[in-house]
Amino acid sequence: MTSPIRILMVGEGAIAGIHMQALASVPEARVVAVVGGDAQGARRFAEHWNIPHVCADYTQALATLEIDAVILATPSPLHADQAEQAIDAGKHVLCEIPMSLNLADAERMTARAREANTVAMVAHTRRFNAPHREMKRRIRTGEFHLQHLVSETYFLRRENLNMQGEPRGWTDHLLWHHACHSVDLFAWLLDDFDLKVWGGRGPIHPELGIAMDMNIGLKSRNETLATLTLSFNNHGPFGGFYRYIGEENTLMAYRDELKDYQGEVMTLEGVGFQEQDAEFIAAIRECRVPEATFSHCLPTMRLLAKLEKIMADVC
């Protein structure tokens, strides 16, 4: 019997819990240790998920634990440095989105991963959600001719709280995190990362120091459009909502559900996070490049850097 891939989970928050749920369906994976930013929280996390080891120091854990891979479920500002540490330690890495908060870091960590010949993947989960995979299939086969993708991303982040309503020690980013999902999705759907981009942002929050609202436009080489609306000021359901407006139909996607304009839900198989984390483990097993490897996600980071400059110039 083949030994399981031994994983160090870095982070003890909500997204780390989602990864644990996903990995429960991947028998080839075993989380053997957790490193947390909060010692008490990390111990609770380990007890809840039956993880044998709790470590306080990430660098030490990389140096002393018998692990094969690292999952970075940590604050966005830490992703680039932590990913490079894992790569330098000879570990495979699955980094939560975004891979970094600027293009320079993304380029550096991509080069580092390429030199190390390691499996280095970003959690661009939209690429693995069943509705978007189905829409990519239909677009490729010519069953669906996309005219306009409309993406709405909503959260209420007027206070620095996480998705569980708990205080957060870092500030989320509307462009580099949440817009990253939808910009990458559109480019990936059409296999076109040479997009025309434009956009604007609302005022900077006086305490959080970030823009709370954005609108973004994208246009592919074949003149297909995408319109992205993003807000941290929204009351109501949160998450990413996608409307595929095509010649043949209008379809709506939310998480792993796809329905038509009349509300009829379509039968699809697969859960995005499970498919994503299974791909990471399979790529390690098969010694191959995974979907959403660092180098495949770098073009999206270049598009975000263009948008950041455009928004700064406009404002």
Side-chain angles (χ1 to χ4, degrees):
M1 182 178 177
T2 306
S3 300
I5 302 297
R6 300 162 298 182
I7 299 171
L8 170 65
M9 181 67 67
V10 189
E12 76 283 9
I15 200 68
I18 291 174
H19 281 289
M20 292 301 301
Q21 292 175 12
L23 290 168
S25 66
V26 185
E28 301 88 353
R30 184 183 174 209
V31 178
V32 298
V34 58
V35 173
D38 174 74
Q40 186 176 1
R43 285 193 295 271
R44 287 197 303 266
F45 187 89
E47 291 173 3
H48 179 79
W49 294 106
N50 196 28
I51 301 172
H53 300 290
V54 180
C55 305
D57 184 83
Y58 176 59
T59 302
Q60 184 178 13
L62 287 175
T64 60
L65 292 177
E66 293 185 354
I67 57 170
D68 306 299
V70 171
I71 294 179
L72 297 176
T74 51
S76 298
L78 303 179
H79 290 175
D81 288 344
Q82 289 181 335
E84 288 185 38
Q85 282 184 267
I87 292 166
D88 290 346
K91 313 303 179 186
H92 305 291
V93 58
L94 172 58
C95 177
E96 255 306 321
I97 191 172
M99 60 192 297
S100 66
L101 291 175
N102 60 70
L103 180 57
D105 283 350
E107 290 177 332
R108 188 183 66 249
M109 59 199 289
T110 300
R112 191 77 60 89
R114 189 180 297 117
E115 293 166 2
N117 195 30
T118 190
V119 174
M121 178 176 165
V122 191
H124 280 208
T125 314
R126 298 292 179 271
R127 296 190 184 194
F128 297 91
N129 288 121
H132 304 306
R133 293 177 79 89
E134 172 62 13
M135 294 310 301
K136 184 178 177 75
R137 185 195 68 78
R138 294 187 185 192
I139 291 168
R140 275 185 167 177
T141 61
E143 297 172 50
F144 188 88
H145 295 83
L146 181 65
Q147 295 167 329
H148 198 163
L149 176 66
V150 180
S151 166
E152 300 171 87
T153 302
Y154 297 134
F155 292 88
L156 185 62
R157 292 277 165 83
R158 293 176 182 175
E159 297 179 48
N160 210 12
L161 305 175
N162 65 17
M163 66 176 67
Q164 297 171 323
E166 299 169 344
R168 179 181 255 161
W170 58 284
T171 304
D172 203 359
H173 204 285
L174 203 54
L175 176 66
W176 287 97
H177 179 187
H178 294 285
C180 185
H181 277 294
S182 299
V183 171
D184 181 76
L185 172 64
F186 184 65
W188 172 80
L189 282 166
L190 301 181
D191 295 312
D192 181 4
F193 287 84
D194 186 23
L195 303 173
K196 293 181 180 179
V197 301
W198 61 93
R201 60 167 172 80
I204 300 297
H205 191 283
E207 296 176 5
L208 299 178
I210 58 171
M212 302 291 284
D213 290 273
M214 288 181 182
N215 55 27
I216 291 172
L218 309 171
K219 188 176 185 179
S220 71
R221 283 173 290 188
N222 68 1
E223 299 192 328
T224 304
L225 293 175
T227 299
L228 282 53
T229 301
L230 306 102
S231 181
F232 278 167
N233 281 313
N234 184 71
H235 294 272
F238 68 83
F241 303 83
Y242 297 88
R243 178 180 293 266
Y244 285 87
I245 301 173
E247 181 66 25
E248 297 79 7
N249 205 340
T250 294
L251 302 171
M252 279 77 73
Y254 176 64
R255 296 182 179 172
D256 288 297
E257 180 182 88
L258 182 67
K259 59 185 179 181
D260 66 16
Y261 69 95
Q262 294 177 316
E264 182 177 345
V265 177
M266 302 180 180
T267 302
L268 299 174
E269 294 185 0
V271 176
F273 268 97
Q274 292 178 6
E275 299 292 334
Q276 168 190 272
D277 289 16
E279 168 70 359
F280 177 55
I281 300 302
I284 296 171
R285 282 271 186 235
E286 298 163 13
C287 299
R288 62 170 173 82
V289 174
E291 175 71 79
T293 190
F294 281 14
S295 59
H296 292 174
C297 297
L298 184 59
T300 297
M301 304 302 280
R302 292 181 177 134
L303 292 171
L304 296 178
K306 288 182 181 179
L307 282 163
E308 184 174 64
K309 184 177 186 305
I310 288 168
M311 291 180 186
D313 290 344
V314 168
C315 296

